[in-house]
Amino acid sequence: MAVKSDRAKFVPAYSDIGLTPDGGTTWLLPRLMGERRAAEFLLTGQAMGAGDAAEAGLITRAVPHDELPGEVERVIASVASRKGRSGGITRRLMHAGRTAGLRDHLEAEAENIARLAGEEAAKTSIAAFLAR
């Protein structure tokens, strides 16, 4: 997740100085933004405001500058409030999904659900959900 101030600007300045992007930029941006949008961004060197960056998938969302610290705290609190180990495993599954075939990925999801469902945190949460 990437929450930025609505004042943030993103500038791919590599081509302005005769260099190619580094740090995995040409690997990551096509995955986040789509190949065509990433190509336009990187090849034209046009600055992108936070609103456009959110629309393109470069960031999660833009919030008013003065609200940024509070919004970041809310996101952190929401993630931290999740039960058990599901958040970390979900993140690993999402990363693995970039290269895994669908069949293998569905198996990995099923294995993780089965394993987590046997843990006390999940049992308690499932029982509370069913009691509602």
Side-chain angles (χ1 to χ4, degrees):
M1 292 174 267
V3 180
K4 300 291 183 186
S5 161
D6 59 359
R7 296 182 190 170
K9 295 268 188 239
F10 301 87
V11 182
Y14 301 99
S15 62
D16 291 346
I17 56 174
L19 299 175
T20 60
D22 66 350
T25 301
T26 58
W27 182 90
L28 182 61
L29 290 189
R31 286 167 170 78
L32 292 175
M33 304 169 65
E35 191 166 333
R36 289 183 177 162
R37 264 199 159 144
E40 179 181 33
F41 180 60
L42 293 172
L43 296 173
T44 66
Q46 295 286 320
M48 184 181 297
D52 289 336
E55 184 181 314
L58 182 59
I59 64 173
T60 309
R61 68 179 168 278
V63 298
H65 183 73
D66 296 340
E67 297 175 20
L68 182 61
E71 183 61 20
V72 169
E73 289 299 320
R74 280 188 286 283
V75 170
I76 291 168
S78 178
V79 171
S81 73
R82 303 292 125 193
K83 306 286 189 238
R85 300 179 308 124
S86 64
I89 294 171
T90 298
R91 187 170 166 86
R92 283 192 293 279
L93 283 166
M94 290 172 62
H95 287 287
R98 292 179 182 157
T99 57
L102 179 58
R103 178 172 284 151
D104 290 340
H105 198 73
L106 290 172
E107 275 185 39
E109 285 181 339
E111 289 168 8
N112 280 287
I113 287 173
R115 187 170 27 122
L116 288 174
E119 293 183 2
E120 198 56 41
K123 287 180 183 179
T124 301
S125 295
I126 292 168
F129 175 80
L130 293 174
R132 285 187 257 158

